[in-house]
Amino acid sequence: MLGRPFVSGIERAEGITYWVESATIFAQRSLFDPAVQRPAVFRVELWKGYNSYDLILLTSLILATPGWSLRQRGRLLAIGLVLITLTEFAFFLSTIEYVQLRPVVTRAGSMLVPEGSSRAKQVVASWVYYFFQTMGRGLFPLLIYWGMIGFTWKPSEPRRIEAPLRTPSEGTLPPSQGRNAPCPCGSGKKFKRCCGKA
């Protein structure tokens, strides 16, 4: 459903056509083979829509996290869905670029290089493609999940450390008592004759 509208937009490379079967997008490349003096046709499986489990992994992580309310989980799941969709779309575009620039080896063993493809373009397209291939195996959802934890995490309030009160036995008077007042230790003597001696 998501692939069909993009087929007409991505058919910009000459000799490559795309079509959708079920949840899979295929590309068919036609390159001129000088060894046999005719075009060679290659069919490439470009994208399997049902093969992505990133959203399932992210949903499981969000549901398993303690301390989040149901409303907060729903909001984070919606944000995660948007981010996962954007990364999948970027992966899809990088796969198209990789397929359009990648050289193809024929059955005879000769290598066919598409027009407009240079070594630098092939290297960049390959690096981007394999980056998305690697990150798409569960690393994108983990990065998004860690970002969610960082976004929702609130540090606990620092504990107040109060200065310890000095007892009358340490030779100081409580602020509300004089030297002739009864000693707060409960002996019945005046403070100056009891704890105040120290």
Side-chain angles (χ1 to χ4, degrees), residues 158-177:
R159 292 174 58 189
R160 290 183 182 177
I161 301 174
E162 297 180 6
L165 295 174
R166 298 179 71 187
T167 60
S169 61
E170 293 178 25
T172 58
L173 286 172
S176 60
Q177 292 192 345

Side-chain angles (χ1 to χ4, degrees), residues 87 90-91 94 127-137 140:
T87 56
F91 184 23
S94 72
W127 275 97
V128 172
Y129 171 75
Y130 284 112
F131 167 76
F132 277 106
Q133 273 279 36
T134 306
M135 294 298 285
R137 298 181 184 193
F140 272 132

